[in-house]
């Protein structure tokens, strides 16, 4: 740690206050969210927010990175179908809470904001990478052949859930998540993701 820099300190307090304020204001919807409103709710000067995060997407990206740093319990029950179902339900829970709201907010601004697009891509890439372990475990157990494309299978599992979250704005209920997992399991067992 550089000399004179304290663990915590004012910088940590400002960060905590800004992220707490952003979280609270995001509950009212992304459309009305601004750096100025966040700064006011956090009790800090807006220049402090701009200096640290540059823009609104920077604040939301930092908030999303807090979720990315959380440990994700990757299912490993010994059965591919059960693992994929548990994974789909885990993703569903995340999408119906604050991470889903953040992803939606950032994805909405991504076409005109490269930073927002970068944050969303980074978050999803890490989540997909972690989730690939479900398929990798099935390969190691001999349930699936070597060379099965874990990334493609996880993308197929997640795509319908993200379609509902980001495009058609329909509920992601548990039954939908289970059906998505069952379809992905059937495709994996049918060899759809095996090397050609």
């Amino acid at each position: 740690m550089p000399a004179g820099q304290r663990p915590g300190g004012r910088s940590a307090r400002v960060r905590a206050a800004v992220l707490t304020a952003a979280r609270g204001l995001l509950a009212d919807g992304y459309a009305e969210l601004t750096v100025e409103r966040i700064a006011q709710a956090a009790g800090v000067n807006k220049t402090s927010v701009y200096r640290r995060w540059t823009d609104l997407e920077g604040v939301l990206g930092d908030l999303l990175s807090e979720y990315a740093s959380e440990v994700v319990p990757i299912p490993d029950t010994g059965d591919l179908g059960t693992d994929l179902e548990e994974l789909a339900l885990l993703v569903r829970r995340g999408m119906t809470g604050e991470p889903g709201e953040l992803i939606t907010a950032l994805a909405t601004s991504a076409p005109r904001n490269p930073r927002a697009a970068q944050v969303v891509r980074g978050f999803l890439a890490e989540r997909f990478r972690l989730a690939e372990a479900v398929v990798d475990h099935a390969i190691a157990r001999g349930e699936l052949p070597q060379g099965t494309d874990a990334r493609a299978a996880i993308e197929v599992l997640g795509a319908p859930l993200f379609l509902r979250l980001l495009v058609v704005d329909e509920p992601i209920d548990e039954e939908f998540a289970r059906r998505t997992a069952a379809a992905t399991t059937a495709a994996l067992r049918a060899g759809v993701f095996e090397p050609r």
Side-chain angles (χ1 to χ4, degrees):
M1 179 179 303
Q5 192 174 27
R6 298 183 319 247
R10 183 179 185 284
S11 180
R13 287 193 303 274
V14 167
R15 180 176 183 268
V18 167
L19 295 184
T20 298
R23 184 178 280 119
L25 291 170
L26 189 61
D28 296 334
Y30 177 71
E32 303 301 317
L33 196 58
T34 65
V35 168
E36 289 74 14
R37 288 189 67 207
I38 292 170
Q40 183 178 18
V44 301
N45 194 301
K46 69 181 179 182
T47 57
S48 297
V49 178
Y50 282 115
R51 188 170 37 251
R52 181 176 181 123
W53 288 279
T54 308
D55 56 19
L56 175 62
E57 285 69 32
V59 175
L60 296 180
D62 195 4
L63 195 53
L64 191 59
S65 73
E66 298 230 320
Y67 290 104
S69 68
E70 291 177 4
V71 175
V72 178
I74 300 300
D76 189 10
T77 66
D79 175 73
L80 175 66
T82 304
D83 288 350
L84 285 173
E85 182 175 295
E86 287 188 15
L87 180 63
L89 291 170
L90 181 69
V91 172
R92 177 206 168 265
R93 279 192 298 278
M95 288 183 166
T96 55
E98 189 176 292
E101 293 170 5
L102 283 167
I103 291 169
T104 301
L106 288 164
T108 300
S109 64
R112 62 189 180 287
N113 188 317
R115 276 176 42 84
Q118 180 183 12
V119 167
V120 172
R121 277 194 306 272
F123 177 79
L124 295 179
E126 177 61 12
R127 290 308 195 201
F128 279 128
R129 186 190 64 72
L130 292 170
E132 287 172 29
V134 169
V135 177
D136 293 339
H137 293 157
I139 293 168
R141 288 191 302 266
E143 278 189 87
L144 298 171
Q146 291 293 325
T148 297
D149 190 340
R151 174 60 184 246
I154 295 303
E155 287 174 352
V156 166
L157 175 72
L161 304 175
F162 283 103
L163 176 73
R164 283 201 170 187
L165 177 71
L166 299 173
V167 180
V168 297
D169 193 27
E170 291 182 17
I172 306 170
D173 57 30
E174 288 190 8
E175 184 55 33
F176 182 77
R178 286 190 173 94
R179 282 197 318 265
T180 300
T184 305
T185 303
L188 277 160
R189 290 187 172 145
V192 170
F193 301 102
E194 291 177 21
R196 299 288 177 211

